Structures are given as structure tokens and as C-alpha cells.
Amino acid sequence: MSTTWTDAVVVARYDATPRIAVFDLARADGGELWEYESGAHIDVQVGEAGLVRQYSLCGPPGVREQYRLAVLNEPASRGGSQAMHTLAEGDTLRIGAPRNRFGLTPARHHLLLAGGIGITPLLSMAQTLDATGGDYHLHYCARSRTDAAFVPELEHHPRATLHFDDQEPEQLLDLGRDLGEPAPDTAAYVCGPGGFMDYALGRAAELGWPASALHTERFSASTAATETGGGGEGGFTVRLSSTGAEYLVPEDQSVLDVLLANGVEAPSSCGQGICGECVVRVRVGEPDHRDDVLTDDERAEGLFTPCSSRSRSPILELEL
Ligand code: FES
């Protein structure tokens, strides 16, 4: 399924921190935006180069007049955040329909763990749980108060605790205390930069949390994915189940690159194995999964991300 786009206009912008800008976007034609549920993200096409990047929606779901995004300016990144930070009120951009692989799951209690800009989808979840009377607690970690967005909204909230790296050790996130051992009917949601994710998920595993109770979203490929991803060690052949066409995937190209170069219609978005837009099913062969989006169950079902993952077998047949 390819992304559906609409033209949008920046109706408000403010700087939540020196590096985080908050944007309210409305449809350029004045119509309503798509419905979404908390945890969703959208594609945004911005800048002269038409860069497409993904940003979580952090406003309250149900408001269809406007979407709210918060964007961290990352000079070392691929340029999307810098292009976003040049936008001012009245500027236009294209946005895609929301997608969601990080929604709230049925549970009696929800623990929301945010690191840095990872607050965005979790803030939306907190708003949904506030509106529906859900039981939750949000832990939000930032380097300092100055680096934290949405402090006015969260610092006196009874269900939120803020943790700042530059303050007293007692107030730092302590997952033994703040996450604890897994409890029945409790779900945890983790979102933030790679180091935060790796720490939180590693500690959760030590505490005995099963993968099925941990829900995650990454903003960039994990260290493990990037260390082994991309180039790969050796080429292989990808075959399309619909036509039997076969294409060689060399070491330095992704399956997705090869499909697109051969005119195969294949949806994609992030190109890093983190959004799920490109997912297809493997019919034959042994995938070498190098994504941060599929669950173990989804991998066992045969799902595969051609933008980042490769093949352990000489031939990989895809349901395409
Ligand atoms: S394009 Fe995002 S996971 Fe493949």
C-alpha cells in the first residue's frame, strides 16, 4: 500500500527547547485530516530535495483540524530535521496519511518510558489514556530541563515523572524501581534514541519482561542493525512469486533498491527498517532480518523488510 498524501500548511510553530520545534499542521484546503490513534506517525515531505521523513503525532488523537509534531534538530542526521526547522507559519509541505505500529494495546496498566524526543508518541498515548480514564505512568528522561519539551504540560501531571541527567541521582530513571518486574496485564512502551532503547530493553529483559509485553519504536536503526545491515556479505537472488522474475541483489544494494531499479512497484518510506512501510512476505528462503520494526511473531510468519534485511539462502522468493 503506498502512502496517500495531502498538502498541509504550518498554522503554528514554537520552539519548545533550543533544538525542538513544535509544529501544528492543517490541510492546505481547509478540510479535515485523517483519523489516527496515539502512537501513529506520518511521512513528511520537506525541503527542496523533497526529503521524506517520519515524525510521530504528539497531539491528542481525535483532533482532525490539526496535527502536532515535535521535531528535534539533528545536524548530524540526513537533513530532514534541519529542513523542518526552516519552516515558519504559513509555509507548506506534503504529509502522508498516518500509520501506526506503536499503538496502545489492551492492558490494565500502561508504563510509558520516553527518552528525549521519544516523548512524542508517548505524549499522545498519555493524552488518550487521560481521556479514556486509562491507568498509566509516564517516565520522561532528558539531558536537562532545558532540553526537555512539554515540561509545562508534564511537570505537575500526577501520572508523569520527569528525570533529568544533570540533577540529583535519586531522580534519575531507575528501571528496577520505575519499571520493576513484569506484572500481569501491564504493558510497557519504550521510545527514544538508540542508547536509551538499548539500555531500557536490556534492563527490562534482565527484570524478566517478556518481549510480548514490551512495545517499542525507534527513530533510527539500532546499532545491531546498522553494524550488520546495509552492505551485507555476498549477493543473492530475489525472486518475485507473481512472475517468477529473478534479480541479483549485490552486496552494496538493498533488496528494495534492486526491486525499484527493475521497475517493481514496492512501497517504502524510511529505508532503514524502522517504519514497516515496505514489509512483504517471504515465500521461499531464509531471511537475514536486519530491521527494528518486526516482532518475532511477524518474522516467524514470514514478514520481511526489503529496505534493510537480506538473505541467508541463495534465493529469496517474495510475495510480490
Ligand atoms: S521502508 Fe521503512 S521499514 Fe522498510
Side-chain angles (χ1 to χ4, degrees):
M1 188 184 68
S2 54
T3 303
T4 307
W5 294 90
T6 192
D7 293 323
V9 61
V10 178
V11 293
R13 176 208 158 127
Y14 77 93
D15 290 331
T17 78
R19 290 181 60 204
I20 298 175
V22 176
F23 300 91
D24 288 333
L25 309 177
R27 270 180 73 126
D29 64 6
E32 286 195 325
L33 291 158
W34 300 275
E35 278 185 64
Y36 70 95
E37 295 188 348
S38 54
H41 67 268
I42 57 170
D43 284 347
V44 174
Q45 192 177 52
V46 66
E48 286 177 12
L51 298 168
V52 176
R53 295 291 180 265
Q54 293 76 42
Y55 297 106
S56 294
L57 295 167
C58 59
V63 177
R64 295 185 58 186
E65 292 74 30
Q66 290 183 9
Y67 285 168
R68 173 164 283 195
L69 309 178
V71 179
L72 174 69
N73 192 357
E74 295 183 278
S77 74
R78 299 174 296 157
S81 66
Q82 292 171 66
M84 283 295 294
H85 272 248
T86 65
L87 294 176
E89 264 181 47
D91 285 345
T92 56
L93 65 168
R94 298 229 304 154
I95 62 172
R99 293 194 299 268
N100 198 346
R101 295 185 59 89
F102 191 48
L104 286 164
T105 57
R108 188 190 55 77
H109 183 61
H110 304 266
L111 279 163
L112 314 179
L113 306 178
I117 196 63
I119 186 62
T120 49
L122 300 182
L123 182 64
S124 183
M125 288 183 184
Q127 291 167 331
T128 292
L129 291 165
D130 280 336
T132 57
D135 185 31
Y136 77 97
H137 200 90
L138 167 67
H139 292 276
Y140 175 24
C141 304
R143 285 188 189 151
S144 68
R145 174 174 290 268
T146 313
D147 291 304
F150 308 117
V151 171
E153 289 91 332
L154 293 173
E155 70 177 336
H156 301 300
H157 194 296
R159 293 186 179 276
T161 305
L162 276 53
H163 308 273
F164 299 123
D165 292 351
D166 64 347
Q167 293 188 18
E168 304 76 37
E170 311 81 69
Q171 55 81 54
L172 295 173
L173 182 70
D174 175 349
L175 288 177
R177 174 195 65 203
D178 299 324
L179 179 64
E181 293 184 354
D185 216 6
T186 298
Y189 307 81
V190 188
C191 187
F196 176 83
M197 300 289 293
D198 294 341
Y199 162 70
L201 297 177
R203 192 74 184 94
E206 285 171 11
L207 290 163
W209 281 76
S212 58
L214 292 169
H215 307 277
T216 63
E217 184 163 80
R218 288 182 185 266
F219 292 136
S220 58
S222 65
T223 312
T226 50
E227 272 174 357
T228 56
E233 302 85 20
F236 58 93
T237 297
V238 66
R239 181 195 296 146
L240 309 188
S241 65
S242 59
T243 61
E246 294 185 350
Y247 308 108
L248 180 66
V249 181
E251 282 191 14
D252 60 350
Q253 286 185 39
S254 70
V255 175
L256 181 67
D257 290 339
V258 169
L259 295 176
L260 295 176
N262 285 283
V264 178
E265 267 194 38
S268 67
S269 181
C270 72
Q272 309 180 72
I274 56 175
C275 77
E277 179 69 0
C278 66
V279 168
V280 294
R281 192 174 292 275
V282 172
R283 280 269 187 93
V284 176
E286 187 188 352
D288 178 5
H289 292 290
R290 300 180 182 190
D291 66 89
D292 289 307
V293 66
L294 295 176
T295 62
D296 289 346
D297 287 349
E298 288 171 328
R299 290 177 179 184
E301 276 174 36
L303 300 188
F304 173 81
T305 56
C307 72
S308 63
S309 295
R310 302 190 66 81
S311 179
R312 295 188 196 285
S313 51
I315 293 185
L316 198 66
E317 182 175 311
L318 302 179
E319 210 167 87
L320 271 174

